[in-house]
Amino acid sequence: MDSGRIRTPRSAPRTRGGARTAPRTAPRTARVAALAAAALLATVVPSAQAVAAPVPRVDLTVLVVDDGGSAVGAITAELKGAGVPYRRIDLNDPNRPVLDTAFLSDTLDGRPRAKYQGVVLPHETAFGPDSAEHTALQAYERTFGVPQVDAYTWSHPGVGLDYTNEGGWSGVLDGTTAGITAAGKAGPFRYLAGALTFEDNDPSIAESYGYAGRPRAGFTSYVDVPVDGGGRASLVGEYTADGRRELVVTFAYNQYQRQFRALARGIVEWLTQGVHLGQSRNYLSVHVDDVFAPDARWDTGLDCTPGDFDCVGDDGEGADPIRMTVADAQYAAAWQKSSGFTLDMVYNGGQGEQWKAEHGGTDPLTDRLVADRAQYRWINHTYTHPFLGCVQDNAVVPWQCAKDASGKTLWVSRAELSAQIRDNHNWAVRKGISVDRSELVTGEHSGLKTLPQQPVDNPNLAGALADNGVKWTASDNSREPQQRALGTASGAAKTVPRHPMNVYYNVGTAAEMTDEYNWVYTSRADGGSGICESNPASTCLPAPLPTATGYADHIVPQEARIALSHVLGNDPRPHYVHQSNLAEERLLYPVLDRVLADYRGLFAPSAPLVNPAQRDVGTELTRRAAWDQALAAGKVTAYRIGTAVTVKAPAGVTVPVTAPEGTRKRLLLGTAAFGAPYAGTRSAWTAPEPLQTSVTLTLPTA
């Protein structure tokens, strides 16, 4: 984890001078004759005062000046993730462009143009306080009213704050609870509930350092902390002086820390004055796989799962499987209602029928879930959950793809693939379950490439998906984080990557979960598998977790933190677990309860969790990919002139836009309210209306 420390600027900037005197306004006259004469004169002899200067055009692009530090990197990641166009200048590149008047602005069609709507600097004197670039940038910001974010600086008069030894404070912020001030709640951070606790994930590491200073004249604090002797000092605030505005951040952070993720939206809204391309939501969907099917159980003695072909020493049967009961189903329905959150039930109808046949022809669990079917969303998981890639040769460990006599890979056929999808869908329809034919999750994400044994997709998969109208099939985000098309035909199905949660499919109790977790995450010397030692992407626990308390004390907060980081990262990809996690000790609920509680403690009701269906996630990812491609190709033009916003993009590319409440979209005839409300703004994916070539918005005047 980044400790958050960076060096302070070598020299403190000089304090700015006072604000400029406002221009005088001409006094009114009540004499009608004089007005008429003036109007007549103006039509005959135009005066210089009568010709108003054209309103400047401001392009909707952010300028990012990057020194390689984590603070600028975090803001850049937020811009990129939300789809906000930006241009990055690398201060460490000797061949970088020089920031001068020509770089920052020009004249286009007789109108002054500001090329950037906001500026992100590492700190307020990134170019040196006496440099020509510093002077040019300040003049540009002053002329066009362009705001500047100082990504991380210290508390001093040059940014409108007292030094920390003048009633302020500096030090490690881990575990500190900051507050959103009244000005912050009324301004850029209005979507937050009011309290913001800095993460403290490892007591042995300083994760975030800060300088809290008392505001001077011209400074409005948005986020503050209590200080010794009473009162509060600022960590984030706005400094207005000399006709310019700066957002001053005086604590260290990186893009993954919760405190930054909570503030990131507001930083971008302040930087862009609430008008920008791109949009952001806080998403959470949870898929529960294997519904109606039993799941095998981890053996704490063998350190493997009986029934798996690589579990040496078992009888190959996998005794004592884990399966929900009627009581578990009733609990799930009640939990959904009390938590205000809907689960996606990813079901195997044929597995339920097999269980029923093996247990006297009755299945109370299926009866209960079917009776409560309207309370859930449902996703096809194939009828009996077979492996749908190559034909597996389990005679060796790890398994291999079986081959015919000529050495060609043997594949599960298109007919079998199609039957598994079709039969499961039809089973649900007969039960009165509403299921979207376009959505699918194959067992183990099979049919898709599985490295290292199966480096390509089953060539029969794309055709079987088309046979059944499937447009969105799940993939494992830990293996394939990017969406991709399956096949080359127009309208081919696409993947929807899902985050696996570290609540294992093969455990029903906390002790079992902790035992397997220890096997994965402890060294060989501590009795573990050593996977953590050999995998460079992993780390080992310093010691095995106690099986009695390890789940509640370590695993739950860890998994909740990871899931919440996805939520706060504008990441729509679903998480997935298994029906076993709703059974026996119901291990999933403590994790979800923690995520929901932490989220609702951070955010105001104006920023609710968005719980998208799989098809909606697929659509969102597809739109983002097209948008990113259009931006990278330089095919998007967007600008603001006064209260008018114009966006032009390639045909077929929908545009993400965020704007203030009260914004209207121009139609062919008249206007309509733009977008949907979220976090105090309005935003949407939008496109030109029929017979229009661009999106045109009118911003509110107040």
Side-chain angles (χ1 to χ4, degrees), residues 185-555:
K185 290 180 182 178
F189 304 111
R190 55 191 173 276
Y191 58 89
L192 293 176
L196 179 65
T197 300
F198 281 67
E199 285 188 304
D200 187 11
N201 299 309
D202 188 338
S204 66
I205 297 176
E207 297 166 32
S208 188
Y209 195 91
Y211 303 86
R214 292 185 182 272
R216 291 190 164 200
F219 192 98
T220 302
S221 181
Y222 292 145
V223 180
D224 63 14
V225 291
V227 292
D228 293 340
R232 302 181 72 86
S234 181
L235 290 173
V236 182
E238 178 178 329
Y239 182 40
T240 303
D242 195 25
R244 299 173 53 251
R245 299 167 58 228
E246 296 177 44
L247 189 72
V248 178
V249 184
T250 57
F251 71 88
Y253 52 92
N254 63 48
Q255 64 177 299
Y256 304 106
Q257 291 175 307
R258 184 178 301 178
Q259 53 268 22
F260 170 73
R261 292 256 44 94
L263 296 171
R265 175 189 301 276
I267 292 173
V268 171
E269 294 306 309
W270 185 94
L271 176 67
T272 61
Q273 302 179 73
V275 181
H276 61 83
L277 300 181
Q279 70 166 359
S280 177
R281 296 283 191 275
N282 295 334
Y283 299 94
L284 180 63
S285 297
V286 178
H287 292 185
V288 181
D289 289 8
D290 301 352
V291 173
F292 303 125
D295 284 304
R297 186 184 301 273
W298 172 257
D299 189 305
T300 58
L302 295 174
D303 288 326
C304 59
T305 307
D308 286 358
F309 63 86
D310 58 350
C311 188
V312 179
D314 78 289
D315 60 7
E317 293 298 324
D320 193 21
I322 308 164
R323 189 174 189 257
M324 293 173 66
T325 64
V326 169
D328 295 328
Q330 291 170 328
Y331 188 92
W335 180 87
Q336 283 197 150
K337 184 175 181 180
S338 64
S339 67
F341 186 82
T342 300
L343 298 169
D344 289 88
M345 295 301 199
V346 187
Y347 70 97
N348 305 106
Q351 289 271 286
E353 293 300 320
Q354 181 177 337
W355 179 275
K356 182 177 179 179
E358 294 171 352
H359 291 80
T362 61
D363 183 8
L365 170 63
T366 295
D367 294 342
R368 182 70 266 161
L369 287 172
V370 170
D372 293 336
R373 58 191 177 276
Q375 299 187 45
Y376 308 102
R377 283 197 303 248
W378 297 85
I379 301 176
N380 189 341
H381 197 29
T382 72
Y383 194 57
T384 58
H385 200 285
F387 187 83
L388 297 176
C390 63
V391 176
Q392 291 178 299
D393 176 4
N394 294 331
V396 293
V397 178
W399 63 268
Q400 297 177 356
C401 287
K403 301 182 184 300
D404 63 16
S406 64
K408 293 182 179 179
T409 299
L410 297 174
W411 298 98
V412 174
S413 69
R414 178 170 175 171
E416 184 174 349
L417 280 159
S418 189
Q420 281 288 331
I421 300 167
R422 180 189 64 246
D423 292 351
N424 204 44
H425 176 82
N426 292 343
W427 180 91
V429 171
R430 290 195 302 269
K431 297 290 186 180
I433 295 173
S434 177
V435 58
D436 189 331
R437 186 183 293 274
S438 71
E439 299 175 339
L440 177 69
V441 179
T442 58
E444 301 177 54
H445 306 102
S446 59
L448 301 176
K449 60 184 178 181
T450 304
L451 299 176
Q453 297 101 318
Q454 183 191 311
V456 296
D457 297 335
N458 183 337
N460 300 314
L461 177 63
L465 298 180
D467 293 342
N468 289 274
V470 175
K471 298 297 183 184
W472 313 106
T473 190
S475 61
D476 187 332
N477 184 78
S478 66
R479 297 177 179 179
E480 291 192 79
Q482 300 302 318
Q483 184 182 64
R484 64 183 176 92
L486 302 172
T488 58
S490 176
K494 293 184 178 180
T495 60
V496 177
R498 305 189 302 168
H499 292 289
M501 294 186 77
N502 245 3
V503 185
Y504 301 141
Y505 83 97
N506 55 353
V507 296
T509 70
E512 291 169 346
M513 175 69 204
T514 306
D515 183 85
E516 186 173 359
Y517 195 89
N518 283 337
W519 173 250
V520 175
Y521 290 108
T522 57
S523 65
R524 294 178 182 88
D526 285 329
S529 63
I531 294 172
C532 57
E533 295 172 291
S534 57
N535 186 346
S538 182
T539 56
C540 293
L541 291 169
L545 302 174
T547 55
T549 59
Y551 185 67
D553 293 348
H554 179 88
I555 300 174

Side-chain angles (χ1 to χ4, degrees), residues 560-687:
R561 182 176 65 85
I562 292 171
L564 187 59
S565 72
H566 298 153
V567 173
L568 303 188
N570 189 30
D571 186 349
R573 291 170 290 187
H575 295 75
Y576 74 95
V577 292
H578 295 79
Q579 64 83 31
S580 52
N581 305 138
L582 306 185
E584 299 187 7
E585 293 185 5
R586 301 167 182 166
L587 299 180
L588 176 63
Y589 298 112
V591 177
L592 292 188
D593 287 340
R594 180 74 172 264
V595 172
L596 295 175
D598 287 353
Y599 182 85
R600 289 162 182 166
L602 269 175
F603 288 88
S606 66
L609 273 174
V610 178
N611 179 220
Q614 181 171 312
R615 64 179 179 276
D616 297 327
V617 176
T619 300
E620 175 74 13
L621 294 176
T622 298
R623 285 173 168 173
R624 290 187 186 189
W627 176 245
D628 290 345
Q629 185 177 9
L631 288 179
K635 295 182 178 180
V636 176
T637 301
Y639 54 88
R640 172 181 178 177
I641 299 175
T643 61
V645 174
T646 302
V647 186
K648 298 178 181 179
V653 175
T654 50
V655 177
V657 183
T658 299
E661 284 284 358
T663 298
R664 309 283 296 180
K665 182 181 181 182
R666 185 177 300 171
L667 308 177
L668 191 60
L669 296 174
T671 64
F674 167 73
Y678 193 80
T681 62
R682 297 190 73 89
S683 55
W685 289 95
T686 188

Side-chain angles (χ1 to χ4, degrees), residues 2 6 65-73 88-92 122:
D2 187 345
I6 67 168
V65 179
D66 192 354
D67 66 345
S70 64
V72 173
R88 176 180 170 272
I89 301 299
D90 184 356
L91 281 178
N92 299 312

